[in-house]
Amino acid sequence: MLDRRTFLRATSAAMALTAAAPALSLATVMEPASEQWPRRVNHLLGKTLIPHAPRRVVAISTGQLDGLLTLGLVPVGVTRVDNHELTPGYLQKAFPEQREALAQITDLGGRGSPDIETLAQLAPDLILLNKTALKFNGYQLYSRIAPTVVTRGYGANWRHDFLIIANALGRAHEAHNWLARLDSDMQRFASSQGSRPPTVSFLFASGPRLRLMCRGSLVGGLSDALNLARPHAQQFKGNSLDISPERLDMADADWLFYADQGSGLASLKKQPLWNYLEAVRNRRAIRIDADAFYLNAGPSACRHIVDTLTDTVRPI
Amino acid sequence: MNDRPSPVIADTTASPAISFPWRALLTALALCSLLLIVILASLSLGARDMSSHHVVDLLMAPDSSADSVVIWQMRLPRTVLGLLVGAALGLAGTLIQALTRNPLADPGLLGINSGAAFAVVVGLSLFGIDDAGVRLAAALGGSAFCAVLVYILGGSSNGKNQHTRLVLAGVAISVSLGACTGIITLFDSAVFDSYRFWAVGALNSPPPGLYSVLLPVIGLGAVIALSLGGKLNALALGDDLALALGAQPVQVRALSFLAITLLCGSATAAAGPIGFVGLVVPHALRLLVGQDWRWIMWLSPLAGAALVLVSDILGRLIVLPGELEVGIVCALIGTPVLLGLIIHFSRRSR
């Protein structure tokens, strides 16, 4: 008899493969035959002419900073998320050789209202930003300063966004190789899973709030592609779901990954139901980095997630 | 605020002392039964689905199941906290409206909320402390400091402009402290992250040892408040008449201030600033039982507790399986209630 979990796992693996395929073929279409300059780059809001290989790049979102560093280029300016460092900790750890260069990046202020004057003074030759960071007339404004390329943002689009960035830099080839390595590592782990793979769950304690990261999130998509199962209480799509402390047991799984922000850790450990979770009792609740897992969407964040999951999760 | 006699005075002279106060008794009875129902609902309703039968069983005989933990360690404490906070806010709101003779006054007017918020933010940013106990102490101290400041600036004087001075001093202190809080939270977003959760007001994470602080403070405030009802009636006739009736206006004012600070300060420290309760409760009670502050004072803790608990229960049910904080829901259901009252009042007076 085909049980429900096996069926879901099979379909999600198939979905993960088909999801990867169109992204690759789309990128192949975008990729010019050779790395010629000037070139036109397709992106979310149209085509942008880039006259020469960009050297001085401004990244408005962390996902783009992540993508640039993954391709070996340190931007000249980035914005910051309130309350966070200019370069999130996981990126500083992933690129120790760039430590000094990262310290030289110009702070362009909060993500909601980048300091346009400072940005213009940097004289960038490429501006990268997410559609979500665009305000009224923002694209026209940025385009007057430098060629501007817009990506979609949000977890599930990271692959597509990465390829757009790579294409704008003329480094599509490197990006494809990088993705191929990640995919083969994921494939190896996914195919090593037996017929009853362990379940995983992703919890985010932001202050006193508890949030489950669902299958539509970055980490959810990656764990699906790794053939890891979700517990019965988490068989829903969508990005995330806020849960009441009374329902903390919805977060239970064979392996529970949790991250915190603000006073989140203290408030999570204080929850009366925390010690009722099987994962906590069996010491399979693992604290993770919120920046890499939940808050940013970029290739190196994905690499961090995949490495953490494949190193940690064992059949039980 | 002007010289013509306000309807408050007109009504107090026609005080219902002659006839037996049936209305007030009926209202008290209704509020008590409502409160009982709400307490039961608060124990049995929530994001976790449990039948009321099961809840009663677990209340009688707790076991080690997760359901039992939810009832005993989550729903019961937040119900008790909701009762205390609601009662304190209802009483404090009644006191401030009686004291200022301003129907738009609420306990926040004395700068108590902004004082507590400022102290919490300073504690967070200077000492980096995000501990519930420290937050409680900071909020209590901040609200007390603020109330004393407002009293010195506006409350201690005599004369007919006294109410205006009090309200203006409260508004001025609130606004300037609010600006200070804004400056700190704007530039220190780590503080803002912790502060914003406190600032919406929540019952679901009471700090440990809360009740040993909260019970005596709220108890003392309530005793003072309840003993002042008759004197506030006298004060409503103006300082000279009040003096003739044996009430010392300065003393009554100082005691009211003390009670408001104890009640609202501790409620705000325990659950964060919860608006509208102190504003709506005395209004609604005046509509129901008339202008006698003695009755309103006794009924306001019941009404306040019921309103806060109803808001908390709604907050648990409208965004399942998540929750909305009680402060948000209170404002959400408080606004239409207040608007309804205003419309009702204006129709009556026409």
Side-chain angles (χ1 to χ4, degrees):
Chain A
M1 195 184 96
L2 181 71
D3 85 316
R4 193 179 137 84
R5 184 182 281 183
T6 324
F7 174 72
L8 279 171
R9 199 168 49 78
T11 44
S12 70
M15 269 161 52
L17 287 176
T18 45
L24 288 174
S25 61
L26 180 59
T28 341
V29 174
M30 292 193 306
E31 198 182 348
S34 62
E35 289 177 357
Q36 292 168 338
W37 308 96
R39 57 173 20 197
R40 282 189 181 277
V41 175
N42 280 316
H43 59 89
L44 207 60
L45 294 186
K47 287 182 174 192
T48 293
L49 183 76
I50 301 179
H52 56 84
R55 294 266 126 240
R56 300 179 57 78
V57 182
V58 162
I60 301 293
S61 307
T62 321
Q64 287 136 7
L65 169 64
D66 182 320
L68 288 171
L69 291 174
T70 307
L71 293 170
L73 188 75
V74 179
V76 288
V78 297
T79 61
R80 63 166 74 239
V81 181
D82 288 339
N83 181 20
H84 290 255
E85 294 163 279
L86 207 53
T87 310
Y90 82 93
L91 283 176
Q92 294 184 19
K93 276 185 208 138
F95 301 99
E97 72 281 1
Q98 304 278 27
R99 205 160 64 95
E100 280 174 27
L102 287 175
Q104 302 290 316
I105 299 179
T106 302
D107 182 352
L108 294 177
R111 177 139 316 157
S113 51
D115 183 347
I116 302 289
E117 246 172 74
T118 314
L119 193 157
Q121 277 166 10
L122 287 173
D125 47 19
L126 176 66
I127 298 173
L128 298 172
L129 78 162
N130 280 342
K131 188 164 185 279
T132 48
L134 269 185
K135 292 193 179 139
F136 180 69
N137 265 349
Y139 180 57
Q140 281 78 2
L141 177 68
Y142 286 118
S143 297
R144 270 170 30 207
I145 300 173
T148 300
V149 167
V150 181
T151 56
R152 195 176 291 276
Y154 286 131
N157 309 304
W158 69 275
R159 193 182 284 265
H160 190 191
D161 285 357
F162 180 46
L163 289 170
I164 291 179
I165 294 172
N167 202 21
L169 296 179
R171 301 187 189 194
H173 188 63
E174 286 99 314
H176 280 295
N177 288 344
W178 193 95
L179 286 172
R181 277 198 301 279
L182 182 75
D183 286 338
S184 83
D185 288 354
M186 288 172 70
Q187 275 295 331
R188 198 175 322 121
F189 184 85
S191 54
S192 74
Q193 294 306 310
S195 59
R196 281 194 158 275
T199 55
V200 289
S201 167
F202 303 97
L203 180 66
F204 188 24
S206 173
R209 294 243 173 128
L210 299 172
R211 176 170 290 174
L212 284 176
M213 303 306 280
C214 309
R215 304 178 74 167
S217 68
L218 177 71
V219 66
L222 289 173
S223 78
D224 274 1
L226 287 170
N227 263 355
L228 295 169
R230 291 325 270 290
H232 195 64
Q234 292 182 32
Q235 300 291 349
F236 36 76
K237 296 215 170 68
N239 188 48
S240 68
L241 182 73
D242 281 8
I243 55 167
S244 151
E246 290 187 3
R247 302 292 302 275
L248 184 56
D249 48 357
M250 281 177 80
D252 210 353
D254 293 338
W255 297 87
L256 167 61
F257 295 90
Y258 65 98
D260 54 279
Q261 185 171 264
S263 58
L265 188 64
S267 116
L268 179 63
K269 296 266 164 99
K270 218 174 55 191
Q271 288 302 333
L273 288 185
W274 174 249
N275 288 316
Y276 271 73
L277 299 180
E278 287 294 325
V280 175
R281 286 184 176 175
N282 296 321
R283 296 178 181 278
R284 283 195 291 262
I286 289 125
R287 189 176 172 206
I288 46 165
D289 178 29
D291 265 318
F293 269 74
Y294 301 154
L295 299 176
N296 299 296
S300 288
C302 292
R303 178 44 96 177
H304 179 98
I305 294 170
V306 168
D307 286 353
T308 309
L309 293 183
T310 53
D311 287 349
T312 314
V313 178
R314 296 282 167 268
I316 59 165
Chain B
M1 261 5 94
N2 47 26
D3 287 334
R4 86 188 150 82
S6 72
V8 179
I9 292 172
D11 276 19
T12 343
T13 45
S15 128
I18 326 148
S19 64
F20 195 74
W22 288 112
R23 273 177 82 95
L25 270 185
L26 274 179
T27 312
L29 212 65
L31 277 176
C32 282
S33 17
L34 173 69
L35 203 55
L36 202 69
I37 296 168
V38 171
I39 290 172
L40 289 178
S42 171
L43 289 173
S44 39
L45 296 176
R48 199 182 183 85
D49 209 10
M50 288 187 257
S51 69
S52 45
H53 189 69
H54 188 46
V55 172
V56 172
D57 283 352
L58 287 174
L59 278 173
M60 296 299 169
D63 55 30
S64 61
S65 67
D67 283 354
S68 177
V69 167
V70 165
I71 289 175
W72 283 91
Q73 293 183 35
M74 300 171 94
R75 289 192 190 164
L76 196 63
R78 79 190 285 175
T79 304
V80 175
L81 183 61
L83 285 174
L84 281 176
V85 165
L89 290 175
L91 263 176
T94 306
L95 268 181
I96 185 90
Q97 291 200 0
L99 188 69
T100 58
R101 284 193 237 162
N102 184 341
L104 277 179
D106 88 356
L109 200 67
L110 294 191
I112 285 177
N113 288 348
S114 49
F118 180 65
V120 164
V121 163
V122 167
L124 280 171
S125 102
L126 285 189
F127 309 111
I129 307 164
D130 198 5
D131 173 74
V134 177
R135 213 157 43 210
L136 179 70
L140 258 181
S143 49
F145 174 75
C146 223
V148 168
L149 208 62
V150 172
Y151 185 75
I152 292 170
L153 280 176
S156 55
S157 73
N158 270 313
K160 63 179 181 186
N161 288 330
Q162 196 265 346
H163 315 119
T164 319
R165 280 184 62 131
L166 191 66
V167 171
L168 282 179
V171 168
I173 298 277
S174 287
V175 169
S176 48
L177 279 183
C180 296
T181 307
I183 290 169
I184 297 177
T185 50
L186 202 61
F187 286 98
D188 191 339
S189 4
V191 168
F192 178 68
D193 258 5
S194 305
Y195 165 74
R196 65 195 173 114
F197 287 113
W198 177 82
V200 292
L203 299 176
N204 58 0
S205 44
L210 177 69
Y211 301 107
S212 55
V213 183
L214 209 58
L215 267 177
V217 178
I218 290 187
L220 180 62
V223 168
I224 299 176
L226 292 174
S227 69
L228 284 175
K231 289 180 177 150
L232 287 169
N233 275 347
L235 210 63
L237 303 171
D239 281 9
D240 296 338
L241 257 176
L243 209 56
L245 287 170
Q248 301 284 335
V250 176
Q251 189 196 358
V252 173
R253 252 176 230 128
L255 281 176
S256 304
F257 241 87
L258 179 65
I260 293 167
T261 310
L262 292 174
L263 290 167
C264 184
S266 52
T268 305
I274 299 177
F276 273 110
V277 180
L279 188 65
V280 170
V281 163
H283 266 301
L285 288 177
R286 258 212 308 275
L287 275 180
L288 290 170
V289 304
Q291 302 287 348
D292 190 339
W293 286 115
R294 286 170 301 181
W295 277 108
I296 300 176
M297 205 61 82
W298 277 100
L299 295 176
S300 62
L302 301 177
L307 177 58
V308 167
L309 273 189
V310 166
S311 306
D312 190 41
I313 296 168
L314 281 179
R316 294 180 221 169
L317 298 177
I318 43 189
V319 287
L320 286 172
E323 281 189 8
L324 268 185
E325 281 79 0
V326 62
I328 297 174
V329 183
C330 242
L332 221 59
I333 64 173
T335 315
V337 169
L338 185 68
L339 281 177
L341 286 174
I342 291 169
I343 293 167
H344 190 87
F345 266 130
S346 63
R347 285 220 181 112
R348 256 188 168 185
S349 60
R350 221 177 280 154

